[in-house]
Each structure stands twice: as C-alpha cells, then as structure tokens.
Amino acid sequence: MLWIGPLAGAILFSRGGLLGALVGSVLGGWVERRIREERWRAGGARRSPHQRANPLADAYRTLGVKPSASDEEVKRAYREKAKSCHPDILRSQGASERKIAEATERMSRINAAWTAISKERNI
C-alpha cells in the first residue's frame, strides 16, 4: 500500500505542478494510514513496530473478556470459545475441510490467549 501517496503525487504533478504533487502525496499518505488502521482494527494486517499492542490486551480481546474479569469468567469464556470452534467437533458435524482449517487457526489463537492469561494470573 505504500504506492498510493507517490502515485497520487505523480498524477497531480502532471496536472497541477509541484503544488499538486505535494497535495497528492499528503492525501495519498492520509489514505494509506486510514487503510492500515482499518486493517489493523479488522485484524487482517500485521501491526507495524510502532503500533505494537500489549499481548495480554490482545489475549483478553480474543477471549472476549475485560482484564477486570474474574478468573471464573475468563475460564468460562475460554471454554465457550473452545466449544464453538473446536475442529474435532466441526469434523464430527461434517464440516468442510476449509472450515476445519479456519477453526484450527482460531483454536490456536484461543489457546495462545488462554496460555498468556493463565500464566499472568497463575490460574
């Protein structure tokens, strides 16, 4: 996505000169930042080094609980998430291989979140 700013600058330079190139580059950079933010919120893109989040915050977000939740609430959330997307359960229900692969990936994220939180809380 790093090509939007220079491309917009080049197009506007050909039509509006140096001022057009400056405006195009600035607007292109703004568009690139917006796209990165939206992807970050959706979880589709890796975070850049200056946007590193707290791993525990991500773990709580994955399980769908607040950091102030009790140990029992965290355990309950983990178990519910694990039941809803466990690959073996989906396989026994006759789900497609694509859905099973997606569930395996989700389950690994859920297990990683549980491991991080349980280590931090000594559960």
Side-chain angles (χ1 to χ4, degrees):
M1 281 296 162
L2 298 175
W3 52 269
I4 293 175
L7 179 65
I11 291 171
L12 290 176
F13 177 73
S14 67
R15 296 180 187 252
L18 193 56
L19 182 61
L22 179 65
V23 170
S25 294
V26 169
L27 287 176
W30 180 80
V31 169
E32 287 176 8
R33 281 191 301 279
R34 293 285 299 171
I35 290 170
R36 277 193 222 114
E37 287 173 5
E38 290 300 318
R39 285 186 176 175
W40 180 79
R41 284 188 191 118
R46 292 181 177 231
R47 293 183 181 102
S48 64
H50 66 276
Q51 290 179 325
R52 286 188 184 137
N54 181 358
L56 281 175
D58 288 343
Y60 284 111
R61 195 175 308 117
T62 300
L63 292 183
V65 294
K66 294 181 180 179
S68 60
S70 70
D71 291 346
E72 292 303 318
E73 290 171 332
V74 174
K75 285 180 187 178
R76 189 176 317 118
Y78 167 70
R79 289 178 184 144
E80 288 174 6
K81 292 273 186 180
K83 274 185 190 177
S84 68
C85 68
H86 198 283
D88 291 340
I89 293 174
L90 292 176
R91 189 172 287 119
S92 69
Q93 294 173 348
S96 68
E97 288 301 317
R98 186 178 62 83
K99 289 196 180 235
I100 292 171
E102 290 171 1
T104 303
E105 184 180 326
R106 274 188 311 227
M107 195 65 199
S108 67
R109 279 187 266 137
I110 291 169
N111 282 333
W114 169 250
T115 302
I117 293 173
S118 62
K119 281 183 182 178
E120 187 248 341
R121 291 183 172 217
N122 293 324
I123 298 177

